[in-house]
Amino acid sequence: MRDPKRQSIVQLQGISKRFGALIANDQVSLDIAPGEVLALLGENGAGKSTLMKILYGFYQADAGRILIEGQPVTIDSPHTAMRLGIAMVFQQFSLIENLTVAENLMLASAKAPRGVWVNRTHWVKSHSRLSELAPSIQPTNLIRNLAVGEKQLVELVKALDADARVVILDEPTSVLTPIETQRFWMLIRQLADQGHAVVFITHKLEDVRACADCTAVMRKGRVVDMSPARDRTAKELVYMMVGRENLAIVNPVPPSPAYPRLQIQNLSADSDASSRSSASTIRNVNLAIAAGEIVGIAGVAGNGQQLFADVLAGLLPSVQGTMLLDGTLLHRAGKSSRQDIAYIPEQPLQNGVAAELDLVANLWAKKIGKMAFFPLRAKQRTHAARLIHAFDVQPPDPTLKAVNLSGGNLQKLVLARELSDSPSLIIACYPTMGLDIAATQFVYEKLFQHAQSRACIVWISESLDDLLQYSHRIAVLFRGEVVGVVETSTANRHQLGQWMTGGREVA
Amino acid sequence: MSFGDTVIAVLNGLPVSALRSATPLLFVTLGETLTQRVGIINLGVEGQMLVGAITGFAVTITFGNPWMGLLLGGVAGLVLSSIHAFLCLACGSSQIASGIGVWILGSGLSAFFGRAFVGEKIEQGFRTLDLPRLALVPVLGPLITEMTPVIGIAIILSPLLGLWLYRSPTGLTWRAVGESTTVSRAMGINSLWIQCQGIMAGGFLSGIGGAALSVDYTLTWAEGMTVGRGLVAVGLVIVARWNPYLVMPVALLFGGSEALALRLQAAGAPISPYLMGTLPYLVALVVLVINYGQVRQTGGMPEGLRSVFSHTV
């Protein structure tokens, strides 16, 4: 697969880049070949994204050069990169939500016709790769009505419509559901087989297993290893990424005496499409959680998990049913939310922080009910600095606005605020989304610590692997109902899969 | 006069007067729709209308050519709106503050230059279609015979702009800019220039709207003669959900209720004229409520407009 005579399409030679005191890339060299999927691995902040953003013209390298088909080139803007056939798909999509798929594709394409009477659907069907790559997406759909995975496909189509030969994907699977992820891997293979060069930035090893030809591991701004994917075991890759041989994999401690601390009885609720999640409903949910127990809520996205979490956290009202914590009502109408509930919502930027406020204010937000009339800024600052250090939020500058943090660090910020006190109930929606291996382990460690100090933990996740490894019990939500609850020790994947798809056989 | 006669008298000329009173509003609302479509809110339309009205009036009186008055009225509105464009786009000032500034400047300027024209009346306005035989046709007759070219242009403009906005590539670019300047910039669109065009197009149309008011509707000039029509237009943009096609029925509804109020008053309906004057606004509010009851969301507001309010001034 990887012979020395292999023709590279892009060569990066001795690329260096520093941001102030931080050396993001240090003398990095990398070859990208057509027809190959290159997995660029590394922890958060290893410099993978920076390197690719240099190739995409987003940043300029301080030293080093870029060769395309052997010719040195200067890439001074994304525009130039696109002209050279390099496209990058970011985690934050550059699609316009209120326009249709067809309109977005036409906007991005220089070849789009200019007449008033052009049939846009027809144009997209005949001139865009949409129908080839994503036949199920209707060109007349509005982008905002698409699922995350579909948006990503449209992004990819946009890149390919612009005749991209090199496609860079920035952690594409971190936002996808398991099923979407599998489809995405197939698509990536298909692109490589057509002769495209694909660079897949990721920190998930399953991505590598599924579709990479070649792996490059970055650590602290350097490429520490580059080899064919089949030559490296998962363990070796983790070691090279983290730089430690054995990352202590934590394991949950069994819950203390099995009397229920949190009791959810006959809980039903509805949310309509006008609230932030799409229309959903939960029906007659019964669940009892012991002190120190971690209950995983599994299910395909959109089966009421979001609503369940919101109701539990007291953000949305329930239609009927009771939620009792230690025998008292969890939420009472008109009461301000309880201090001892930790809520880690999905999409922290929208739901978990005040984006335009600084980290100090965001970290203090939970204590706002107890705040003095003339609050002491210095006190808040030390509090913030301590949490930022403890949860390793990068960059560690408390005066930064929350909106300026990257996805993973934003997640850490929310975790820092929610998990720092001693909550009696933790509601965690995808708490490890966007985090690297070390940070993920840290989150689990924190959850286990709280479990040991008798907190009840409701953990919503789509990854069965994680749920099976780290939770005590798993409840499956399907169309708003709990269709099954099982002890993790006796759970089997097949059964869970069946519940998740409503009893139908899993394909 | 019996009650039946009164009803007939009120209703008979209603379509014509509705159209006449809606025409200036139609221009202004279309213009503001374009401005808001590129993600800019311009509260200065009131001032731009006034400047357009006095310019149009003065030019028509001086040169005796209403077409020239209409055109230069539009140009005056455009010039005034470019102040808004400069303040918001080049200096990054608050759109709300800048808009109000333009509004006050416009009303001040128009009052100052308008003093010489108070009391004058345009003798040679636009000619209506002079077809005495058509006038005998019941409802349509007066509608056609009293139609001026300005009304015709206004009627055609609404679907024309709709077609342009929704079907043409440039219209698509404008909508893209209004939704997200960052994304459009990433696509190689000069979003600043598009927004500038959007503001100036709005300024031109509001100037024409003002000129249509003085040159074609009242045929006189009075200080502050727009009496809030510019601000009404800003509201009607929302009622029409930023859709040029919908601007037409919305403006007609508003103009119609205004005309109805006037005619009821003329026919001696026993309601206070002040109360009657609120009728158009009530209708607009009711439409807004019904409208939003159905849509239950932002109703098609360009995403870029959100930033006008989310950033601290």
Side-chain angles (χ1 to χ4, degrees):
Chain A
M1 200 191 309
R2 214 185 127 78
D3 60 281
K5 291 197 299 287
R6 148 190 114 125
Q7 203 67 51
S8 325
I9 183 166
V10 174
Q11 285 172 288
L12 300 171
Q13 293 179 344
I15 301 284
S16 293
K17 176 77 185 172
R18 34 165 76 241
F19 296 104
L22 179 82
I23 301 172
N25 286 154
D26 186 11
Q27 298 279 334
V28 179
S29 297
L30 196 68
D31 281 10
I32 300 167
E36 230 180 59
V37 179
L38 170 71
L40 190 55
L41 289 158
E43 296 276 272
N44 294 344
K48 330 173 280 264
S49 289
T50 307
L51 183 66
M52 286 302 117
K53 280 178 182 166
I54 288 173
L55 177 56
Y56 187 57
F58 215 84
Y59 299 137
Q60 309 304 308
D62 297 333
R65 56 180 197 158
I66 301 172
L67 304 176
I68 289 185
E69 287 172 334
Q71 300 297 315
V73 289
T74 340
I75 302 177
D76 50 11
S77 72
H79 223 72
T80 319
M82 278 191 276
R83 232 190 24 248
L84 293 165
I86 300 166
M88 186 158 177
V89 177
F90 293 95
Q91 276 171 286
Q92 280 90 13
F93 304 128
S94 55
L95 295 171
I96 294 174
E97 297 269 314
N98 284 331
L99 298 184
T100 65
V101 172
E103 286 172 337
N104 268 285
L105 292 175
M106 288 185 85
L107 260 182
S109 169
K111 292 174 292 187
R114 304 196 56 80
V116 172
W117 302 115
V118 173
N119 183 337
R120 291 178 172 168
T121 311
H122 182 77
W123 180 83
V124 165
K125 282 196 172 141
S126 55
H127 288 84
S128 158
R129 298 187 63 175
L130 182 74
S131 32
E132 176 197 339
L133 296 179
S136 61
I137 299 177
Q138 287 303 313
T140 48
N141 264 357
L142 288 179
I143 294 289
R144 70 179 138 108
N145 294 338
L146 298 184
V148 185
E150 291 176 313
K151 286 182 194 173
Q152 192 155 47
L153 287 180
V154 176
E155 242 345 326
L156 195 59
V157 169
K158 218 167 88 178
L160 294 171
D161 279 351
D163 292 326
R165 291 176 295 170
V166 181
V167 182
I168 306 163
L169 303 161
D170 191 4
E171 302 192 17
T173 52
S174 64
V175 288
L176 300 185
T177 62
I179 296 165
E180 284 174 331
T181 305
Q182 277 177 10
R183 241 181 267 149
F184 192 76
W185 286 331
M186 269 159 60
L187 196 65
I188 295 304
R189 284 291 354 146
Q190 192 186 326
L191 287 181
D193 293 341
Q194 287 168 0
H196 292 277
V198 182
V199 181
F200 200 123
I201 303 176
T202 183
H203 49 237
K204 286 192 194 164
L205 295 172
E206 40 186 339
D207 288 339
V208 179
R209 266 203 317 268
C211 66
D213 295 311
C214 181
T215 58
V217 181
M218 286 190 77
R219 191 170 76 229
K220 291 185 180 153
R222 291 166 176 272
V223 171
V224 291
D225 177 74
M226 187 160 175
S227 44
R230 55 185 169 168
D231 291 0
R232 288 275 174 263
T233 64
K235 209 172 166 188
E236 284 173 320
L237 288 172
V238 171
Y239 170 63
M240 287 186 295
M241 278 161 72
V242 184
R244 279 177 274 171
E245 176 68 74
N246 260 326
L247 191 69
I249 301 286
V250 284
N251 277 309
V253 192
S256 45
Y259 70 89
R261 191 171 181 207
L262 175 72
Q263 280 178 298
I264 302 168
Q265 286 157 351
N266 286 321
L267 187 70
S268 297
D270 296 293
S271 74
D272 50 31
S274 64
S275 74
R276 65 192 152 89
S277 49
S278 54
S280 62
T281 172
I282 51 173
R283 285 281 159 261
N284 291 322
V285 173
N286 285 297
L287 205 60
I289 302 178
E293 191 178 27
I294 302 175
V295 174
I297 307 287
V300 180
N303 273 296
Q305 293 97 321
Q306 186 61 44
L307 176 63
F308 179 58
D310 280 350
V311 171
L312 210 50
L315 296 182
L316 291 177
S318 56
V319 175
Q320 61 157 18
T322 49
M323 295 175 281
L324 299 174
L325 183 66
D326 293 329
T328 56
L329 274 181
L330 193 56
H331 302 291
R332 229 175 275 163
K335 286 264 175 172
S336 62
S337 66
R338 290 174 60 145
Q339 302 284 313
D340 59 344
I341 298 177
Y343 183 37
I344 300 157
E346 177 176 49
Q347 293 181 311
L349 185 60
Q350 284 83 33
N351 306 329
V353 297
E356 293 287 328
L357 295 185
D358 62 7
L359 303 193
V360 176
N362 270 298
L363 288 168
W364 196 261
K366 220 161 174 197
K367 302 178 188 291
I368 203 147
K370 287 187 278 182
M371 199 149 85
F373 192 77
F374 292 108
L376 286 174
R377 175 85 178 161
K379 197 169 142 199
Q380 298 180 14
R381 259 193 93 110
T382 24
H383 170 79
R386 191 168 49 77
L387 289 183
I388 285 170
H389 178 72
F391 283 79
D392 188 34
V393 179
Q394 292 294 334
D397 175 6
T399 59
L400 221 60
K401 282 182 181 180
V403 69
N404 294 331
L405 292 184
S406 71
N409 283 302
L410 207 61
Q411 185 76 37
K412 287 186 198 168
L413 181 75
V414 174
L415 289 164
R417 185 184 64 212
E418 299 296 326
L419 297 183
S420 55
D421 287 334
S422 47
S424 23
L425 169 62
I426 300 174
I427 305 150
C429 304
Y430 317 104
T432 59
M433 185 167 266
L435 299 186
D436 60 33
I437 299 170
T440 301
Q441 286 303 318
F442 181 72
V443 172
Y444 291 137
E445 247 169 70
K446 273 278 164 197
L447 286 184
F448 299 151
Q449 260 174 35
H450 286 298
Q452 264 185 310
S453 46
R454 300 189 64 250
C456 300
I457 299 174
V458 176
W459 171 26
I460 294 170
S461 172
E462 272 170 31
S463 160
L464 277 185
D465 292 306
D466 293 350
L467 288 175
L468 284 169
Q469 191 172 356
Y470 299 116
S471 68
H472 299 120
R473 264 191 308 156
I474 299 177
V476 178
L477 267 182
F478 179 71
R479 296 206 179 135
E481 288 182 43
V482 173
V483 286
V485 185
V486 67
E487 295 278 335
T488 306
S489 50
T490 60
N492 80 61
R493 268 161 197 286
H494 187 71
Q495 177 69 66
L496 288 171
Q498 272 198 341
W499 282 339
M500 283 167 77
T501 50
R504 279 173 286 123
E505 206 64 38
V506 239
Chain B
M1 204 157 59
S2 75
F3 178 71
D5 290 341
T6 317
V7 171
I8 289 172
V10 167
L11 289 184
N12 197 17
L14 189 62
V16 186
S17 26
L19 211 54
R20 292 197 69 108
S21 109
T23 299
L25 212 51
L26 201 51
F27 281 112
V28 185
T29 312
L30 282 172
E32 181 68 8
T33 301
L34 291 183
T35 306
Q36 294 201 10
R37 267 293 179 173
V38 296
I40 301 275
I41 195 160
N42 186 355
L43 294 181
V45 274
E46 183 82 23
Q48 292 159 20
M49 265 188 99
L50 282 168
V51 166
I54 183 59
T55 310
F57 187 78
V59 168
T60 312
I61 287 281
T62 318
F63 298 98
N65 186 344
W67 284 106
M68 205 165 146
L70 200 67
L71 187 72
L72 288 181
V75 171
L78 186 147
V79 169
L80 194 61
S81 74
S82 61
I83 297 178
H84 184 60
F86 177 75
L87 286 175
C88 303
L89 301 178
C91 309
S93 74
S94 152
Q95 295 180 17
I96 305 295
S98 150
I100 292 174
V102 166
W103 166 14
I104 293 169
L105 180 66
S107 61
L109 283 177
S110 64
F112 177 75
F113 289 108
R115 284 179 307 179
F117 295 95
V118 175
E120 296 210 38
K121 189 161 172 70
I122 292 178
E123 306 296 341
Q124 276 191 308
F126 287 102
R127 260 181 298 171
T128 53
L129 293 170
D130 203 11
L131 298 167
R133 237 182 272 163
L134 262 179
L136 299 175
V137 182
V139 179
L140 272 178
L143 200 63
I144 295 173
T145 47
E146 289 199 33
M147 186 86 109
T148 65
V150 183
I151 300 178
I153 294 173
I155 291 175
I156 299 169
L157 199 60
S158 171
L160 215 60
L161 282 179
L163 196 66
W164 171 81
L165 188 66
Y166 290 111
R167 300 297 315 174
S168 80
T170 35
L172 181 56
T173 348
W174 280 42
R175 280 188 292 148
V177 169
E179 293 295 336
S180 164
T181 45
T182 21
V183 172
S184 353
R185 231 177 284 137
M187 287 177 181
I189 298 170
N190 186 345
S191 57
L192 221 54
W193 174 226
I194 300 275
Q195 288 190 315
C196 188
Q197 289 176 330
I199 295 174
M200 305 231 269
F204 184 69
L205 285 178
S206 58
I208 288 199
L213 192 67
S214 64
V215 175
D216 195 42
Y217 188 46
T218 63
L219 302 177
T220 54
W221 161 257
E223 193 187 323
M225 68 184 293
T226 51
V227 286
R229 276 192 180 78
L231 288 181
V232 165
V234 176
L236 291 191
V237 170
I238 301 167
V239 178
R241 285 195 261 140
W242 294 271
N243 182 337
Y245 290 121
L246 290 183
V247 166
M248 172 92 133
V250 164
L252 274 180
L253 195 64
F254 191 87
S257 37
E258 198 178 48
L260 183 67
L262 282 176
R263 293 189 148 256
L264 279 175
Q265 214 175 303
I271 308 173
S272 154
Y274 295 104
L275 209 55
M276 204 87 89
T278 61
L279 184 64
Y281 304 92
L282 280 180
V283 170
L285 271 179
V286 168
V287 171
L288 200 64
V289 168
I290 295 172
N291 208 345
Y292 275 66
Q294 285 171 345
V295 192
R296 295 205 68 177
Q297 272 173 354
T298 53
M301 175 164 100
E303 204 59 33
L305 278 183
R306 238 173 258 280
S307 67
V308 176
F309 303 103
S310 72
H311 281 281
T312 40
V313 181

